[in-house]
Amino acid sequence: MSALQPNTRRGRRFAGTAPSSKLLGATAVVSVAFLGANALAYVFTVVAARQLAPASYGELAALLSVLLVGSVPASGLQTATALRLGGRRGDTGTLARLHATSLQLGVAVCVLGFLLVPVLVDLLHLPAATAAVWLAALLLPQTMVQGYQGLLQGAGQYRRLGVLTLVFGAGKLVGGVAGLVVGGSPAAALAGMFAAAVLASACGWLATGRPGLAGGTRAPVVAALRAAGALLGFAVLLNLDLILARHHLPADVTGEYAVAAIITKIAFWLPQGVGVVLLPKLADAGSRSRALPVALAAVGGLGAVLTLGTALVGEAALPLIGGAAYGGALGSATWVFAALGTLLALAQLMLFSGIAAADRLATVAVWTAAAVEALVVQFLAVTGRLTLVSLAGTALLTAGALVATGLVRSRRSRELPAMTPDGMVPAAGP
């Protein structure tokens, strides 16, 4: 029996089998794992900043930003894979097709990365192509890891998912630091991370029951690419206010906004386990209509507590995070950033629901929200009315509008089946 089958006994979908207590436990396990992985990534940036000269660290930071963009197809793969298994039993053939999809997409992204090496060298003013080459190579095992994470997530194997997430995060930290110590360069750090990703990929293959390869991958590849398009738009929206602050506001003010944005990231990342556990349930229309309101309420409730706590701390919030130099411009308005993070977390849940329901407007809505936010901020800047508060307020209203439109579309799509008998997601709308 496959390692992914225990939660799909008798052909039943995992979406309706786990009691609420198990779901709470799964959410806690996944949340701790993802927070731990993010903490390990933060530790690596601190170590790299201390080990490398400023110019070399700037090179590494730029390459890691490119890696984030290159990882978007892998995120779409994980999402589509979890949805596919959430709607069907994880039989050997299905697992083999999804495994082959991961390999195909990983190879494609990796090859594209190699083709873009000269562009990266020129665009980022790299002293040599070596670091960009290692970055391109890293895309293959990283995509495979996220494919295995999707298999575990879709089958409800959350403990294994948590362990694999931590193994991957710890491996990148150890490999990256080892590269810095041995080679003392961004290229060496990325080479170490590549080795760690290969090891994590092997662990993922074992954790998912050593799936084979099979044909018939067109449908899952298309689903992964569609999900990637939506998730790329959301990644842009998630970081857009900070980019706009850097572009339009003075450097010292931008620094305060960046510190305040940490509150946004905390409010956004803290309930991530809810989305991970929820996603497989969204593959079934009936389960989606029951699970989504509960998940929205849980994330909204947690966000309300964080927002209230931030409001009570008031002007002391930023000095607690960044030191006494911060907080003068925002004052007690720091609660806006906690509310923004909460709305973005809710918007992400609605986006997952839209992807599961094949709502093409979900992708359009995310990209439209990003465009509108940029245009409004540009207008405020031109008219001389752009401040930290007005920028954060614009981002807050944009996220709120995105959540509201998502709720409207969710009500409209409740009666649509999420998956057809052949495992395809039907298209909604024209």
Side-chain angles (χ1 to χ4, degrees):
M1 178 177 288
S2 168
L4 297 180
Q5 288 182 347
N7 284 323
T8 55
R9 291 188 296 266
R10 300 186 181 94
R12 297 185 63 186
R13 293 169 178 164
F14 172 76
T17 61
S20 58
S21 59
K22 290 187 178 181
L23 290 178
L24 289 175
T27 301
V29 167
V30 172
S31 296
V32 169
F34 276 73
L35 288 173
N38 286 325
L40 292 171
Y42 174 75
V43 171
F44 173 72
T45 61
V46 172
V47 173
R50 294 179 179 271
Q51 289 286 327
L52 297 173
S56 295
Y57 179 71
E59 176 187 344
L60 179 61
L63 289 169
L64 291 177
S65 297
V66 174
L67 180 62
L68 287 176
V69 177
S71 301
V72 170
S75 298
L77 170 69
Q78 180 178 347
T79 300
T81 299
L83 286 171
R84 186 63 58 93
L85 279 184
R88 298 183 66 182
R89 177 173 176 164
D91 58 84
T92 303
T94 298
L95 297 180
R97 283 191 295 273
L98 293 175
H99 187 216
T101 300
S102 300
L103 182 59
Q104 290 176 2
L105 192 60
V107 170
V109 174
C110 181
V111 170
L112 179 60
F114 281 124
L115 293 176
L116 292 177
V117 164
V119 178
L120 290 176
V121 172
D122 182 62
L123 181 65
L124 301 179
H125 307 290
L126 302 178
T130 309
V133 169
W134 279 115
L135 173 67
L138 175 57
L139 291 172
L140 174 56
Q142 178 155 306
T143 302
M144 294 300 298
V145 170
Q146 291 197 242
Y148 295 131
Q149 287 176 321
L151 290 175
L152 295 171
Q153 181 182 358
Q157 298 286 338
Y158 295 114
R159 291 182 180 176
R160 296 189 182 190
L161 173 61
V163 171
L164 179 59
T165 300
L166 288 175
V167 166
F168 188 35
K172 287 197 297 183
L173 171 62
V174 173
V177 171
L180 290 174
V181 172
V182 175
S185 68
L190 289 169
M193 295 172 71
F194 168 78
V198 171
L199 177 61
S201 180
C203 293
W205 181 67
L206 293 174
T208 52
R210 296 178 291 180
L213 299 172
T217 60
R218 183 179 180 276
V221 167
V222 170
L225 293 177
R226 286 178 176 172
L231 294 173
L232 177 60
F234 188 79
V236 170
L237 181 65
L238 183 63
N239 298 283
L240 183 59
D241 61 324
L242 193 56
I243 295 173
L244 293 174
R246 179 70 180 176
H247 179 70
H248 290 291
L249 297 174
D252 56 338
V253 177
T254 302
E256 182 159 328
Y257 196 97
V259 174
I262 295 175
I263 300 175
T264 301
K265 294 300 187 290
I266 292 173
F268 173 76
W269 284 108
L270 198 58
Q272 283 301 292
V274 176
V276 172
V277 175
L278 170 72
L279 186 60
K281 292 177 170 296
L282 299 178
D284 177 76
S287 297
R288 183 168 66 248
S289 65
R290 293 189 300 270
L292 183 60
V294 176
L296 291 173
V299 172
L302 177 59
V305 172
L306 291 173
T307 302
L308 178 60
T310 306
L312 291 175
V313 175
E315 297 181 2
L318 292 192
L320 285 174
I321 298 174
Y326 300 99
L330 276 173
S332 60
T334 49
W335 65 268
V336 174
F337 291 85
L340 172 59
T342 299
L343 286 175
L344 288 171
L346 293 172
Q348 185 184 51
L349 291 180
M350 297 307 308
L351 179 60
F352 285 153
S353 177
I355 293 173
D359 180 8
R360 294 171 179 171
L361 291 179
T363 302
V364 175
V366 171
W367 283 103
T368 301
V372 168
E373 182 175 324
L375 289 174
V376 172
V377 170
Q378 177 66 29
F379 173 78
L380 292 175
V382 169
T383 57
R385 289 180 282 183
L386 184 64
T387 64
L388 289 181
V389 176
S390 64
L391 175 55
T394 300
L396 182 71
L397 292 175
T398 302
L402 186 60
V403 173
T405 56
L407 289 171
V408 172
R409 293 195 313 277
S410 177
R411 289 176 61 88
R412 181 180 64 111
S413 64
R414 280 182 182 176
E415 301 303 321
L416 291 176
M419 290 195 177
T420 59
D422 62 354
M424 288 290 292
V425 180

